[in-house]
Amino acid sequence: MTLTIAIPVHDDEAFLLRLLGRLARLGCADQLVVVDDGSPTPLDHAALCAAATLPADRLTLLRHDTAQGPGIARNVALAHVDSDHLLYLDADDLPTRELPPLLADLASQTFDFCIFRHHDTRSEMERRWGPEQLDARLWRAAGTDIGALTPVGAKAAAALMQTANYPWNKIYRTDFLRAHDIGCSDLAVHEDIELHWRSFLAADHILASDRIGVIHFVNADGDRLTNRLGPERLAVFTALDRIAAEIATREADPLPLALFALGLIGWIHDHLLPELRPAFADRARDWLNRHVDPALYPAIDAARPKIRADIDQLLVPAATG
């Protein structure tokens, strides 16, 4: 098993050096592909290798002269991958010591992708180690929260589809992504929804690992993509439309996407700039009317009690206020 780790970065050299140094110490990647997405000061290959103590031939550095977004940067990285497996990381992520044992677990396995658990720094407010509470519940519902490596069947996949659409908690077989033309959207944010969902919809062999392979750092006061609260958030419906269309084409179960979308709509509304909420509410109501059949309501209410009522409270005042 050979592994490439692909890293988009924009004006984030300090975090990138921290990540590259950790990867060098862990020794878990055969190839590193860094895509400098229009940083004002271009990254320097020799300087990165020297600072991280990396052999020059292990690091491929690509650059966009102007920022095109992390989704396009990841797609560019995929085109330069030579290994049979791929892991996307963000510059401010940190792999844990569990990542090399996870790769050892996978070395003798055949899979399209393996989803693994992560630690979210927001969990530290509750003195917990692991993902946020909703993702933790979904892992338990899938039956994949215990056991180093678990095959994911249809029922488990339906739960894991609803976890946060992160690009950095999955190890992909490179040829799987290329054969199904799976990549990120060209959106400023929510660019990884299609990567997440289309992977689950297309895969024949999914594995899940309870090893916590990556630490995801969240700074509520920072300037990361998570903190962007402007009109780019309304583009989420472009990605959701595409996934809903693929689910319809495949005649797959629409319930997981409905639950995922309801949760995501609530999160965006809570974090969006107040002046944008009426327009967002209109777009959200339109999407729900087009893609969530009322026949799903009993199943939605059983799976996530009160979620429809909570969304109605958000959207109706926003649309009429």
Side-chain angles (χ1 to χ4, degrees), residues 187-228:
L187 305 176
V189 293
H190 303 300
E191 79 289 342
D192 40 17
I193 288 177
E194 287 192 76
L195 174 68
H196 175 87
W197 277 86
R198 293 192 61 222
S199 297
F200 273 103
L201 292 171
D204 294 319
H205 303 288
I206 305 172
L207 296 174
S209 174
D210 65 353
R211 295 187 184 274
I212 293 180
V214 169
I215 299 174
H216 176 49
F217 289 85
V218 179
N219 179 2
D221 299 319
D223 58 357
R224 314 297 297 176
L225 291 182
T226 305
N227 306 106
R228 294 177 65 170

Side-chain angles (χ1 to χ4, degrees), residues 234-253:
L234 276 66
V236 66
F237 299 106
T238 299
L240 291 175
D241 274 339
R242 292 170 182 169
I243 298 305
E246 184 159 346
I247 286 174
T249 298
R250 292 176 177 272
E251 298 183 350
D253 184 0

Side-chain angles (χ1 to χ4, degrees), residues 95-129:
T96 72
R97 293 179 180 177
E98 285 290 283
L99 185 58
L102 170 59
L103 296 173
D105 293 341
L106 295 173
S108 61
Q109 303 291 323
T110 300
F111 60 97
D112 293 324
F113 73 91
C114 173
I115 182 171
F116 56 86
R117 283 161 56 88
H118 70 280
H119 172 64
D120 190 302
T121 55
R122 287 169 290 191
S123 297
E124 293 167 6
M125 297 175 61
E126 302 166 353
R127 298 184 179 182
R128 294 188 302 106
W129 175 250

Side-chain angles (χ1 to χ4, degrees), residues 4-262:
T4 292
I5 295 180
I7 309 162
V9 59
H10 173 78
D11 199 20
D12 216 357
E13 185 173 5
F15 280 126
L16 176 64
L17 288 174
R18 182 185 69 168
L19 171 58
L20 294 178
R22 175 68 66 88
L23 291 171
R25 290 190 294 274
L26 292 177
C28 55
D30 300 277
Q31 178 189 19
L32 300 171
V33 177
V34 173
V35 181
D36 179 359
D37 188 39
S39 298
T41 301
L43 296 173
D44 180 83
H45 183 275
L48 291 177
C49 292
T53 320
L54 280 168
D57 61 353
R58 283 189 59 202
L59 175 65
T60 299
L61 176 61
L62 309 170
R63 175 171 169 81
H64 295 151
D65 289 334
T66 58
Q68 299 181 39
I72 291 177
R74 291 189 194 103
N75 295 343
V76 168
L78 174 59
H80 289 79
V81 170
D82 295 325
S83 63
D84 49 39
H85 289 83
L86 168 65
L87 169 63
Y88 294 110
L89 290 178
D90 287 344
D92 59 342
D93 291 334
L94 271 185
T96 72
R97 293 179 180 177
E98 285 290 283
L99 185 58
L102 170 59
L103 296 173
D105 293 341
L106 295 173
S108 61
Q109 303 291 323
T110 300
F111 60 97
D112 293 324
F113 73 91
C114 173
I115 182 171
F116 56 86
R117 283 161 56 88
H118 70 280
H119 172 64
D120 190 302
T121 55
R122 287 169 290 191
S123 297
E124 293 167 6
M125 297 175 61
E126 302 166 353
R127 298 184 179 182
R128 294 188 302 106
W129 175 250
E132 289 195 283
Q133 287 192 11
L134 176 58
D135 274 15
R137 289 199 299 270
L138 290 166
W139 274 77
R140 289 193 295 271
T144 51
D145 57 330
I146 298 177
L149 208 58
T150 308
V152 174
K155 182 178 179 180
L160 293 176
M161 284 176 182
Q162 300 171 52
T163 58
N165 47 276
Y166 296 130
W168 38 256
N169 64 352
K170 304 172 189 70
I171 296 170
Y172 289 101
R173 184 168 56 83
T174 308
D175 285 346
F176 162 71
L177 293 177
R178 289 173 174 163
H180 295 277
D181 194 24
I182 295 175
C184 293
S185 310
D186 58 353
L187 305 176
V189 293
H190 303 300
E191 79 289 342
D192 40 17
I193 288 177
E194 287 192 76
L195 174 68
H196 175 87
W197 277 86
R198 293 192 61 222
S199 297
F200 273 103
L201 292 171
D204 294 319
H205 303 288
I206 305 172
L207 296 174
S209 174
D210 65 353
R211 295 187 184 274
I212 293 180
V214 169
I215 299 174
H216 176 49
F217 289 85
V218 179
N219 179 2
D221 299 319
D223 58 357
R224 314 297 297 176
L225 291 182
T226 305
N227 306 106
R228 294 177 65 170
L229 311 176
E232 62 271 19
R233 287 286 177 190
L234 276 66
V236 66
F237 299 106
T238 299
L240 291 175
D241 274 339
R242 292 170 182 169
I243 298 305
E246 184 159 346
I247 286 174
T249 298
R250 292 176 177 272
E251 298 183 350
D253 184 0
L255 178 61
L257 180 62
L259 291 166
F260 173 86
L262 285 167

